[in-house]
């Protein structure tokens, strides 16, 4: 799909709509692709209410309501009613971070809590990262306040939960890997952080969005390499690689399974901070790509599929917790490297 996204991101299969939802973060657009119709069925511009749309997750029990990440927080939206009729920012929006930080990737855990992180940028046009200036939050339900779970983050990205619900996988991109946490399903607490997968020792690439498949293996979009890698999160073994066409460029951003049987692999891409000449050389950058099940099986050696996406439980009431303002920072235990900006 030639989406022409500046920063394509956030692919997630919406079972009720039988569509893949995805985003253009920098143009604040929500899009939907129908594999049955073979076309984009939604191109919703939200730039009148937010400069960025950073993640999207269906609301439990609805075929049209979604929760989204915005520049300054979180909001609810009805895809069928449109922005003017249904836009509802969370009361915490605008209070979680300063002007040089925006929200980024997010997903829901199996209990329906929203986990969403931020990214911190400085410099002209926000081209430079501010190490340690971002956070990871958890929203237990719409009536609750976001709890800041981790600080000292630079680019909060991919999230996933194992089938047994006991492990959370999490990506802070400039650390060049994906970490595992012990996850408490009842409280949502995380502990025992350790490295699950190392994608590189330096840029390029860095790990971006991720997802798990039916065999418990981790698919990681590698920004800067133009590819998606399949890893065993228990052994860190690299199992398979899916490369984007050369004309799509190196900015591979996120990955998700979709289709009626969750058997196809979808990949988003970008052309962030590119000039017209570079974009002309790689005109498919910013597109949405599909790897059909038949082709995917030749790469993996088996018929793998995805797992159902968790929806946001808007009515969930969480336990009493400190607010984000009361949070005591929990900095990353490893040595930190700066992420180079691609020229």
């Amino acid at each position: 799909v030639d989406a022409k996204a500046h920063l394509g991101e956030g692919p997630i299969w919406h079972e009720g709509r039988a569509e893949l939802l995805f985003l253009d973060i920098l143009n604040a657009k929500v899009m939907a692709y129908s594999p049955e119709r073979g076309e984009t069925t939604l191109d919703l511009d939200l730039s009148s209410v937010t400069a960025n749309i950073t993640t999207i997750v269906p609301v439990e029990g609805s075929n049209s309501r979604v929760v989204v990440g915005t520049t300054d927080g979180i909001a609810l939206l009805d895809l069928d009613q449109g922005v003017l009729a249904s836009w509802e920012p969370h009361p915490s929006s605008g209070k979680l971070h300063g002007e040089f930080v925006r929200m980024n990737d997010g997903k829901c855990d199996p209990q329906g809590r929203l986990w969403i992180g931020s990214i911190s940028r400085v410099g002209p046009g926000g081209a430079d990262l501010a190490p340690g200036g971002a956070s990871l939050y958890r929203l237990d339900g719409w009536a609750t306040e976001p709890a800041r779970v981790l600080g000292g983050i630079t680019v909060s990205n991919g999230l996933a939960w194992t089938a047994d619900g006991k492990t959370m996988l999490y990506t802070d991109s400039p650390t060049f890997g994906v970490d595992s946490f012990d996850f408490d399903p009842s409280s949502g607490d995380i502990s025992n952080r350790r490295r699950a997968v190392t994608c590189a020792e330096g840029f390029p690439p860095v790990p971006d969005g991720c997802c798990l498949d039916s065999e418990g293996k981790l698919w990681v979009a590698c920004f800067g390499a133009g590819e998606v890698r399949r890893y065993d999160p228990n052994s860190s073994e690299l199992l398979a690689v899916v490369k984007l066409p050369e004309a799509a460029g190196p900015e591979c951003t996120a990955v998700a399974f979709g289709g009626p049987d969750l058997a196809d692999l979808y990949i988003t891409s970008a052309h962030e901070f590119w000039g017209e000449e570079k974009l002309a050389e790689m005109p498919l950058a910013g597109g949405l790509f599909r790897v059909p099940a038949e082709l995917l099986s030749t790469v993996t050696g088996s018929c793998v599929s995805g797992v159902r996406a968790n929806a946001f439980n808007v009515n969930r009431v969480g336990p009493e917790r400190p607010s984000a303002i009361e949070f005591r920072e929990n900095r990353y235990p490893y040595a930190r490297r700066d992420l180079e900006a691609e020229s």
Side-chain angles (χ1 to χ4, degrees), residues 211-219 228-232 239-242 255-266 291-308:
C211 68
L212 287 165
D213 64 27
S214 56
E215 296 181 353
K217 303 304 187 286
L218 183 68
W219 294 81
V228 171
R229 300 176 186 172
R230 187 187 192 222
Y231 288 96
D232 184 330
L239 303 173
V241 177
V242 174
V255 58
F257 284 89
D261 300 319
L262 297 177
D264 298 335
L265 192 70
Y266 287 87
V291 184
E294 307 79 43
L295 179 58
L296 192 63
S297 65
T298 66
V299 176
T300 61
S302 60
C303 295
V304 301
S305 59
V307 294
R308 186 180 181 185

Side-chain angles (χ1 to χ4, degrees), residues 91-109:
S92 65
S93 292
K95 303 174 184 177
L96 297 175
H97 49 239
E99 63 175 313
F100 297 112
V101 181
R102 67 161 171 81
M103 284 303 188
N104 206 44
D105 205 355
K107 288 291 185 295
C108 280
D109 65 28

Side-chain angles (χ1 to χ4, degrees), residues 43-188:
D43 191 341
L44 186 60
D45 186 344
L46 303 177
S47 60
S48 63
V49 290
T50 178
N52 309 108
I53 288 292
T54 71
T55 195
I56 185 166
V57 178
V59 168
E60 188 176 309
S62 173
N63 283 342
S64 57
R65 293 184 82 199
V66 293
V67 61
V68 296
T70 68
T71 302
D72 62 3
I74 305 162
L76 287 172
L77 170 70
D78 191 297
L79 297 178
D80 294 339
Q81 293 182 16
V83 61
L84 295 180
S86 67
W87 185 255
E88 183 183 349
H90 190 271
S92 65
S93 292
K95 303 174 184 177
L96 297 175
H97 49 239
E99 63 175 313
F100 297 112
V101 181
R102 67 161 171 81
M103 284 303 188
N104 206 44
D105 205 355
K107 288 291 185 295
C108 280
D109 65 28
Q111 290 70 40
R113 308 177 187 92
L114 176 68
W115 294 70
I116 184 168
S118 55
I119 177 174
S120 181
R121 288 191 178 278
V122 294
D128 300 322
L129 295 173
S135 302
L136 175 66
Y137 301 90
R138 185 189 60 244
L139 183 67
D140 290 341
W142 193 250
T144 68
E145 288 294 314
R148 184 158 46 176
V149 180
L150 292 174
I153 304 299
T154 302
V155 183
S156 188
N157 256 314
L159 288 151
W161 285 263
T162 55
D164 63 7
K166 295 180 180 179
T167 302
M168 183 181 90
L169 293 155
Y170 173 67
T171 307
D172 180 8
S173 291
T175 66
F176 300 102
V178 181
D179 290 341
S180 292
F181 288 87
D182 292 342
F183 178 75
D184 186 329
S186 61
S187 67

